[in-house]
Amino acid sequence: MDLNYSTEDLAFRAEVRAFLEAKLPQDLSDAVRLGRGLGKEGHDRWHSILNEQGWLAPTWPEEYGGCGWNAVQRHIFDEECCRAHAPRIVPFGLTMLAPVLQKFGSDQQRAYFLPKILSGEHWWCQGYSEPGAGSDLASLRTRAVRDGDHYVVNGQKTWTTLGQYANWIFCLVRTDPDAKQQEGISFLLIDMDTPGIEVRPIILLDGTHEVNEVWFTDVRVPVENLVGEENKGWTYAKYLLTHERTNIAGVGFSQAGLEAVKRLARQQIHRGRPLIENPHFAARLARAEIDLMAMATTNLRIISAAAQGQAPGVESSMLKVKGTEIRQEINDLARRAAGVYALPFASEALAGDNSALAPPEGSDAAAAQYFNNRKLSIFGGSNEIQKNIIAKVSLGGRT
Ligand SMILES: Cc1cc2nc3c(=O)[nH]c(=O)nc-3n(C[C@H](O)[C@H](O)[C@H](O)COP(=O)(O)OP(=O)(O)OC[C@H]3O[C@@H](n4cnc5c(N)ncnc54)[C@H](O)[C@@H]3O)c2cc1C
């Protein structure tokens, strides 16, 4: 296995870097670099720029509008985007729903939905979790009852990320209450403009509005919006989650985050010397960097295996656990490096409103980011659950 980049890979990296230098708007890059929120307009703008370039869907097959990149090129693209502080592409349509439609959807669904994901006309959100159905997702209770050529949906979803911007939601619903838990679930695509849907905000620890509750009261959904077969939704749901978890590892985000911490720690003076020279701080920084290098190598090994046709399995759980632990450690180091400047962690900092304190660059949002990223080890299946999966698969079921 050769983990070095080829001449073609290096040329591709130069091409991506040149594109980002020319096309990434400065205000978006600044917002990402300083840890501030983007809002719908910012996300939409970057989405359009990438779509125009034909670089929006690196993981899609070319026949649907994908880039035709191999796994190493996708990795290089991610790395370069993070390095340039490009906005994260909202994953729900592009990297979560699309693979499910491509593998299990009908021809009509692929022809109708995939182009609208690319154009940005459809903004998707994920309706999996419910109160009482998070880790134990199969106990979900939102009902869909067949009535002629419609399903009638009643129930509640929760933690729906960016649901306030979405015009479509993919939902797991119970279509057979008498079957064994996993066998009575279906996968439905629901237009958020349908009467009977209500989106209620949940305000997070950092004061931001990022997640929501979504309520369904007698919502009529055409039967053609069922993906695959009725009561087989659990299979499609699990397939989607594998894509969600690999995506969360965020090697590039951590690399960019680590560089930002180093910059901050060089500027901050602690007992007369730059903080980066403090032995305790330097030791933690070194540990985070070593862990990150090890994870980046694991990531490359998995990419290399995938390039040879071996499908990633439990590795997506491993990357999710390690990736989120490292990102949270980097957030904590940033918060500590910012010192007193991290104290006013009010949500206004995310909107860039905290500058009256004239803090070192990037430190005013450090605490807000630290609190916000507590979520990383919870969503996409909590890290405890991922460890159970790893133990089951790798240690032969002794959990
Ligand atoms: C910010 C944020 C955004 C989210 N976005 C979305 C979204 O867009 N769409 C969506 O559908 N969902 C979303 N989620 C929901 C997320 O997937 C769930 O929170 C997650 O699956 C955990 O479920 P829970 O919150 O019900 O916790 P619980 O399942 O109640 O777990 C509580 C604690 O117990 C532990 N635990 C539970 N069972 C076990 C076990 N068997 N062994 C060991 N430990 C266990 C868990 O690991 C956790 O630490 C989001 C969550 C957050 C926090």
Short mmCIF file of all heavy atoms in Angstrom, two decimals, residues 315-357:
data_model
loop_
_atom_site.label_atom_id
_atom_site.label_comp_id
_atom_site.label_asym_id
_atom_site.label_seq_id
_atom_site.Cartn_x
_atom_site.Cartn_y
_atom_site.Cartn_z
N GLU A 315 -14.90 0.87 10.11
CA GLU A 315 -13.94 1.98 10.12
C GLU A 315 -14.65 3.32 10.23
O GLU A 315 -14.11 4.27 10.79
CB GLU A 315 -13.08 1.97 8.84
CG GLU A 315 -12.13 0.80 8.73
CD GLU A 315 -12.80 -0.42 8.10
OE1 GLU A 315 -14.04 -0.39 7.92
OE2 GLU A 315 -12.09 -1.39 7.81
N SER A 316 -15.86 3.44 9.67
CA SER A 316 -16.54 4.73 9.76
C SER A 316 -16.84 5.06 11.22
O SER A 316 -16.78 6.22 11.62
CB SER A 316 -17.82 4.74 8.91
OG SER A 316 -18.76 3.82 9.40
N SER A 317 -17.13 4.03 12.04
CA SER A 317 -17.36 4.27 13.48
C SER A 317 -16.05 4.68 14.16
O SER A 317 -16.03 5.56 15.02
CB SER A 317 -17.92 3.02 14.16
OG SER A 317 -19.18 2.71 13.65
N MET A 318 -14.95 4.01 13.77
CA MET A 318 -13.66 4.35 14.38
C MET A 318 -13.28 5.80 14.07
O MET A 318 -12.85 6.55 14.95
CB MET A 318 -12.56 3.41 13.84
CG MET A 318 -12.67 2.01 14.37
SD MET A 318 -11.75 0.80 13.39
CE MET A 318 -10.15 1.51 13.31
N LEU A 319 -13.47 6.19 12.81
CA LEU A 319 -13.13 7.57 12.43
C LEU A 319 -14.03 8.57 13.15
O LEU A 319 -13.60 9.65 13.54
CB LEU A 319 -13.27 7.75 10.92
CG LEU A 319 -12.18 7.13 10.06
CD1 LEU A 319 -12.47 7.38 8.59
CD2 LEU A 319 -10.80 7.69 10.41
N LYS A 320 -15.30 8.19 13.34
CA LYS A 320 -16.23 9.10 14.02
C LYS A 320 -15.77 9.32 15.46
O LYS A 320 -15.69 10.46 15.93
CB LYS A 320 -17.65 8.51 13.98
CG LYS A 320 -18.74 9.54 14.20
CD LYS A 320 -19.36 9.50 15.57
CE LYS A 320 -20.06 10.79 15.88
NZ LYS A 320 -20.80 10.80 17.14
N VAL A 321 -15.44 8.25 16.18
CA VAL A 321 -15.04 8.38 17.59
C VAL A 321 -13.76 9.20 17.70
O VAL A 321 -13.69 10.21 18.40
CB VAL A 321 -14.83 6.99 18.25
CG1 VAL A 321 -14.23 7.13 19.64
CG2 VAL A 321 -16.15 6.23 18.31
N LYS A 322 -12.73 8.78 16.98
CA LYS A 322 -11.43 9.43 17.13
C LYS A 322 -11.47 10.87 16.61
O LYS A 322 -10.96 11.80 17.23
CB LYS A 322 -10.37 8.61 16.37
CG LYS A 322 -8.97 8.80 16.85
CD LYS A 322 -8.79 8.37 18.30
CE LYS A 322 -7.64 9.14 18.94
NZ LYS A 322 -7.55 8.95 20.38
N GLY A 323 -12.15 11.02 15.45
CA GLY A 323 -12.23 12.35 14.84
C GLY A 323 -12.90 13.36 15.76
O GLY A 323 -12.44 14.49 15.90
N THR A 324 -13.98 12.95 16.39
CA THR A 324 -14.70 13.91 17.23
C THR A 324 -13.95 14.16 18.55
O THR A 324 -13.96 15.28 19.06
CB THR A 324 -16.14 13.42 17.52
OG1 THR A 324 -16.08 12.10 18.08
CG2 THR A 324 -16.97 13.40 16.27
N GLU A 325 -13.26 13.13 19.07
CA GLU A 325 -12.46 13.35 20.29
C GLU A 325 -11.37 14.38 20.02
O GLU A 325 -11.12 15.29 20.82
CB GLU A 325 -11.83 12.03 20.75
CG GLU A 325 -12.80 11.11 21.46
CD GLU A 325 -12.20 9.75 21.80
OE1 GLU A 325 -11.03 9.48 21.46
OE2 GLU A 325 -12.93 8.93 22.40
N ILE A 326 -10.72 14.25 18.87
CA ILE A 326 -9.63 15.18 18.55
C ILE A 326 -10.16 16.59 18.34
O ILE A 326 -9.60 17.57 18.85
CB ILE A 326 -8.86 14.69 17.29
CG1 ILE A 326 -8.11 13.40 17.61
CG2 ILE A 326 -7.88 15.75 16.80
CD1 ILE A 326 -7.47 12.73 16.40
N ARG A 327 -11.29 16.71 17.63
CA ARG A 327 -11.83 18.06 17.39
C ARG A 327 -12.23 18.72 18.71
O ARG A 327 -12.02 19.92 18.91
CB ARG A 327 -13.03 17.99 16.44
CG ARG A 327 -12.55 17.81 15.00
CD ARG A 327 -13.69 17.74 14.04
NE ARG A 327 -14.38 19.01 13.87
CZ ARG A 327 -15.50 19.15 13.17
NH1 ARG A 327 -16.06 18.10 12.60
NH2 ARG A 327 -16.07 20.32 13.04
N GLN A 328 -12.79 17.93 19.63
CA GLN A 328 -13.18 18.53 20.92
C GLN A 328 -11.95 18.94 21.73
O GLN A 328 -11.95 19.96 22.41
CB GLN A 328 -14.06 17.54 21.70
CG GLN A 328 -15.45 17.42 21.09
CD GLN A 328 -16.34 16.43 21.80
OE1 GLN A 328 -15.86 15.53 22.50
NE2 GLN A 328 -17.64 16.56 21.61
N GLU A 329 -10.89 18.14 21.65
CA GLU A 329 -9.65 18.50 22.36
C GLU A 329 -9.07 19.80 21.78
O GLU A 329 -8.62 20.68 22.51
CB GLU A 329 -8.65 17.34 22.24
CG GLU A 329 -7.24 17.64 22.75
CD GLU A 329 -7.14 17.85 24.26
OE1 GLU A 329 -8.17 17.82 24.95
OE2 GLU A 329 -6.00 18.09 24.75
N ILE A 330 -9.12 19.93 20.46
CA ILE A 330 -8.60 21.16 19.83
C ILE A 330 -9.44 22.37 20.23
O ILE A 330 -8.92 23.44 20.53
CB ILE A 330 -8.53 20.98 18.29
CG1 ILE A 330 -7.42 19.97 17.96
CG2 ILE A 330 -8.27 22.31 17.58
CD1 ILE A 330 -7.38 19.54 16.50
N ASN A 331 -10.77 22.18 20.29
CA ASN A 331 -11.65 23.27 20.76
C ASN A 331 -11.29 23.68 22.18
O ASN A 331 -11.29 24.86 22.53
CB ASN A 331 -13.11 22.83 20.77
CG ASN A 331 -13.72 22.82 19.39
OD1 ASN A 331 -14.53 21.97 19.08
ND2 ASN A 331 -13.33 23.74 18.54
N ASP A 332 -10.98 22.68 23.02
CA ASP A 332 -10.66 22.98 24.41
C ASP A 332 -9.33 23.74 24.49
O ASP A 332 -9.19 24.71 25.25
CB ASP A 332 -10.59 21.68 25.23
CG ASP A 332 -10.56 21.97 26.72
OD1 ASP A 332 -11.13 23.01 27.14
OD2 ASP A 332 -9.95 21.19 27.48
N LEU A 333 -8.36 23.30 23.68
CA LEU A 333 -7.07 24.01 23.66
C LEU A 333 -7.25 25.46 23.19
O LEU A 333 -6.63 26.37 23.73
CB LEU A 333 -6.09 23.28 22.74
CG LEU A 333 -5.53 21.96 23.30
CD1 LEU A 333 -4.80 21.18 22.21
CD2 LEU A 333 -4.58 22.25 24.46
N ALA A 334 -8.14 25.65 22.20
CA ALA A 334 -8.37 27.01 21.69
C ALA A 334 -8.98 27.88 22.78
O ALA A 334 -8.59 29.04 22.98
CB ALA A 334 -9.30 26.96 20.48
N ARG A 335 -9.92 27.30 23.52
CA ARG A 335 -10.59 28.05 24.59
C ARG A 335 -9.58 28.44 25.68
O ARG A 335 -9.55 29.54 26.19
CB ARG A 335 -11.71 27.18 25.17
CG ARG A 335 -12.62 27.85 26.15
CD ARG A 335 -13.67 26.85 26.59
NE ARG A 335 -13.08 25.69 27.24
CZ ARG A 335 -13.05 25.50 28.56
NH1 ARG A 335 -13.58 26.38 29.35
NH2 ARG A 335 -12.49 24.41 29.08
N ARG A 336 -8.69 27.49 26.01
CA ARG A 336 -7.70 27.77 27.04
C ARG A 336 -6.68 28.80 26.56
O ARG A 336 -6.26 29.68 27.30
CB ARG A 336 -6.98 26.48 27.46
CG ARG A 336 -7.85 25.67 28.36
CD ARG A 336 -7.34 24.29 28.64
NE ARG A 336 -8.36 23.57 29.39
CZ ARG A 336 -8.51 23.66 30.70
NH1 ARG A 336 -7.72 24.42 31.42
NH2 ARG A 336 -9.47 23.00 31.31
N ALA A 337 -6.31 28.69 25.27
CA ALA A 337 -5.34 29.65 24.74
C ALA A 337 -5.93 31.05 24.70
O ALA A 337 -5.24 32.04 24.92
CB ALA A 337 -4.91 29.23 23.34
N ALA A 338 -7.24 31.14 24.46
CA ALA A 338 -7.88 32.46 24.39
C ALA A 338 -7.96 33.10 25.77
O ALA A 338 -8.10 34.32 25.89
CB ALA A 338 -9.27 32.32 23.78
N GLY A 339 -7.91 32.28 26.82
CA GLY A 339 -7.93 32.80 28.19
C GLY A 339 -9.16 33.64 28.46
O GLY A 339 -10.27 33.26 28.08
N VAL A 340 -8.96 34.82 29.04
CA VAL A 340 -10.11 35.65 29.42
C VAL A 340 -10.95 36.06 28.22
O VAL A 340 -12.14 36.34 28.34
CB VAL A 340 -9.70 36.93 30.18
CG1 VAL A 340 -9.14 36.58 31.54
CG2 VAL A 340 -8.69 37.74 29.37
N TYR A 341 -10.33 36.12 27.04
CA TYR A 341 -11.10 36.53 25.85
C TYR A 341 -12.19 35.52 25.49
O TYR A 341 -13.09 35.82 24.73
CB TYR A 341 -10.16 36.75 24.67
CG TYR A 341 -9.22 37.89 24.89
CD1 TYR A 341 -7.86 37.65 25.10
CD2 TYR A 341 -9.68 39.20 24.93
CE1 TYR A 341 -7.00 38.70 25.33
CE2 TYR A 341 -8.83 40.25 25.17
CZ TYR A 341 -7.48 40.00 25.37
OH TYR A 341 -6.63 41.04 25.61
N ALA A 342 -12.04 34.31 26.02
CA ALA A 342 -13.06 33.28 25.72
C ALA A 342 -14.23 33.38 26.69
O ALA A 342 -15.23 32.69 26.52
CB ALA A 342 -12.44 31.89 25.80
N LEU A 343 -14.12 34.24 27.71
CA LEU A 343 -15.18 34.27 28.73
C LEU A 343 -16.52 34.73 28.18
O LEU A 343 -17.54 34.09 28.42
CB LEU A 343 -14.76 35.13 29.93
CG LEU A 343 -13.71 34.49 30.82
CD1 LEU A 343 -13.30 35.46 31.93
CD2 LEU A 343 -14.21 33.19 31.43
N PRO A 344 -16.57 35.85 27.41
CA PRO A 344 -17.89 36.29 26.94
C PRO A 344 -18.31 35.44 25.76
O PRO A 344 -18.20 35.85 24.62
CB PRO A 344 -17.66 37.74 26.55
CG PRO A 344 -16.21 37.81 26.21
CD PRO A 344 -15.51 36.74 26.95
N PHE A 345 -18.79 34.20 26.05
CA PHE A 345 -19.03 33.25 24.96
C PHE A 345 -20.39 33.45 24.32
O PHE A 345 -20.88 32.60 23.62
CB PHE A 345 -18.87 31.81 25.44
CG PHE A 345 -20.06 31.27 26.17
CD1 PHE A 345 -21.06 30.58 25.49
CD2 PHE A 345 -20.19 31.45 27.53
CE1 PHE A 345 -22.16 30.08 26.17
CE2 PHE A 345 -21.28 30.95 28.20
CZ PHE A 345 -22.27 30.27 27.53
N ALA A 346 -20.98 34.65 24.53
CA ALA A 346 -22.33 34.90 24.03
C ALA A 346 -22.44 34.58 22.55
O ALA A 346 -21.47 34.69 21.80
CB ALA A 346 -22.68 36.36 24.26
N SER A 347 -23.65 34.21 22.14
CA SER A 347 -23.85 33.81 20.75
C SER A 347 -23.52 34.92 19.76
O SER A 347 -23.23 34.67 18.62
CB SER A 347 -25.28 33.34 20.54
OG SER A 347 -26.16 34.31 21.01
N GLU A 348 -23.55 36.20 20.25
CA GLU A 348 -23.22 37.30 19.34
C GLU A 348 -21.82 37.13 18.76
O GLU A 348 -21.52 37.60 17.67
CB GLU A 348 -23.26 38.67 20.04
CG GLU A 348 -24.60 39.05 20.65
CD GLU A 348 -24.74 38.48 22.04
OE1 GLU A 348 -23.97 38.86 22.93
OE2 GLU A 348 -25.63 37.63 22.22
N ALA A 349 -20.94 36.44 19.53
CA ALA A 349 -19.58 36.24 19.04
C ALA A 349 -19.58 35.51 17.72
O ALA A 349 -18.77 35.78 16.83
CB ALA A 349 -18.75 35.47 20.06
N LEU A 350 -20.52 34.58 17.56
CA LEU A 350 -20.58 33.81 16.32
C LEU A 350 -20.96 34.71 15.14
O LEU A 350 -20.66 34.41 14.00
CB LEU A 350 -21.59 32.66 16.44
CG LEU A 350 -21.20 31.57 17.43
CD1 LEU A 350 -22.31 30.54 17.53
CD2 LEU A 350 -19.92 30.89 17.00
N ALA A 351 -21.65 35.80 15.44
CA ALA A 351 -22.03 36.73 14.37
C ALA A 351 -21.01 37.85 14.23
O ALA A 351 -21.21 38.80 13.49
CB ALA A 351 -23.41 37.30 14.66
N GLY A 352 -19.92 37.76 15.00
CA GLY A 352 -18.85 38.75 14.87
C GLY A 352 -19.08 40.03 15.64
O GLY A 352 -18.49 41.05 15.35
N ASP A 353 -19.94 39.97 16.67
CA ASP A 353 -20.34 41.18 17.39
C ASP A 353 -19.54 41.44 18.65
O ASP A 353 -19.93 42.24 19.46
CB ASP A 353 -21.81 41.04 17.81
CG ASP A 353 -22.71 41.73 16.83
OD1 ASP A 353 -22.16 42.27 15.86
OD2 ASP A 353 -23.94 41.71 17.03
N ASN A 354 -18.47 40.74 18.84
CA ASN A 354 -17.78 40.77 20.12
C ASN A 354 -16.47 41.54 20.06
O ASN A 354 -15.69 41.50 20.98
CB ASN A 354 -17.48 39.32 20.53
CG ASN A 354 -17.68 39.11 22.00
OD1 ASN A 354 -18.30 39.93 22.65
ND2 ASN A 354 -17.16 38.02 22.52
N SER A 355 -16.27 42.24 18.93
CA SER A 355 -14.94 42.75 18.66
C SER A 355 -14.54 43.94 19.52
O SER A 355 -13.39 44.33 19.52
CB SER A 355 -14.82 43.09 17.19
OG SER A 355 -15.94 43.84 16.81
N ALA A 356 -15.50 44.52 20.28
CA ALA A 356 -15.17 45.66 21.11
C ALA A 356 -14.06 45.32 22.10
O ALA A 356 -13.30 46.18 22.52
CB ALA A 356 -16.42 46.13 21.85
N LEU A 357 -13.93 44.06 22.45
CA LEU A 357 -12.91 43.65 23.40
C LEU A 357 -11.52 43.58 22.76
O LEU A 357 -10.54 43.38 23.46
CB LEU A 357 -13.24 42.25 23.94
CG LEU A 357 -14.33 42.19 25.00
CD1 LEU A 357 -14.69 40.74 25.27
CD2 LEU A 357 -13.85 42.85 26.27
#
